[in-house]
Amino acid sequence: MTRPPAASLMAFPFIGGRPCLDFVATLGKRHAVPVERLPNPAALGRWIHEAGLSPDVPQATIEHLTDALGLREAIYQLLRAAIAGRPVDPADVALTNAVAANPDLAPQLSVSGDLPSISRQSADVTPAALATVARDAVLLLGGPLLERVKECENPDCSLLFLDDSQARRRRWCSMDRCGNLAKIAGYRSRTRARPE
């Protein structure tokens, strides 16, 4: 099997359906050899921009990165515990609540041409973006949509996603990613099983 190019491994997947789920996905393949998509502060700034939380790539520091990685893992552990019906770790709750209590990114209307659009403003974008992500996690974990959070059924994938399908039977993080791989594997398995 050939490995995908490093650039595709470092691309941020925005398929979770919520900012907090997309943020948790910055550590991929948790059940195999983990893929860290936030190896440095510049990558954190890039994620904040690509997630649509800032119109520009904010400057992030090593302290911001340390805070972000701690928040990411706390949110992941809370979500996994909720999915499995296990008690949550109070330290993860406290960390998520502490970050969520910080000022988040304030939505503001701006005009581009004749049409209004929404941008988010803050004096210190990186901590505000983390507060926005933490608040999204609080709302998801404490709300009715939590029961729709699932983990991709691909054993090599660990991405969490919000199942927004009508029948609530979605199995893959994305049909373009893991769903397609499963279809190909099933086809190959059926082809090999046929007598010649």
Side-chain angles (χ1 to χ4, degrees):
M1 182 175 133
T2 61
R3 288 190 52 85
S8 69
L9 287 175
M10 296 310 291
F12 299 121
F14 292 102
I15 54 179
R18 294 288 293 249
C20 65
L21 298 176
D22 291 335
F23 187 60
V24 165
T26 60
L27 181 63
K29 299 186 179 286
R30 289 174 182 265
H31 307 311
V33 178
V35 175
E36 178 59 74
R37 295 183 177 99
L38 297 178
N40 54 49
L44 174 60
R46 193 168 54 84
W47 183 86
I48 290 169
H49 170 67
E50 290 182 23
L53 298 176
S54 173
D56 303 309
V57 176
Q59 293 294 320
T61 65
I62 195 70
E63 183 179 305
H64 292 145
L65 180 63
T66 301
D67 293 346
L69 298 180
L71 175 64
R72 179 186 70 191
E73 294 313 301
I75 293 171
Y76 176 74
Q77 292 303 324
L78 290 169
L79 289 165
R80 290 295 303 144
I83 290 169
R86 294 188 323 258
V88 297
D89 184 336
D92 292 331
V93 172
L95 176 60
T96 303
N97 283 338
V99 177
N102 293 325
D104 69 348
L105 295 167
Q108 295 190 345
L109 218 53
S110 59
V111 178
S112 148
D114 292 334
L115 300 173
S117 62
I118 296 176
S119 64
R120 296 182 180 270
Q121 302 295 322
S122 173
D124 197 352
V125 173
T126 302
L130 295 178
T132 299
V133 169
R135 286 182 185 194
D136 183 59
V138 167
L139 294 172
L140 180 60
L141 285 156
L145 295 179
L146 179 61
E147 65 188 30
R148 291 175 35 196
V149 176
K150 296 181 180 177
E151 183 176 42
C152 182
E153 289 187 16
N154 179 345
D156 293 332
C157 183
S158 61
L159 295 183
L160 301 177
F161 62 91
L162 185 66
D163 182 358
D164 57 0
S165 66
Q166 190 170 4
R168 306 287 186 257
R169 292 194 304 240
R170 187 170 149 196
R171 300 172 52 201
W172 317 110
C173 60
S174 165
M175 279 308 294
D176 293 340
R177 291 171 54 102
C178 295
N180 191 41
L181 292 174
K183 287 172 82 174
I184 291 169
Y187 172 77
R188 287 181 179 161
S189 175
R190 288 187 303 276
T191 303
R192 273 182 263 159
R194 286 187 198 145
E196 296 196 22

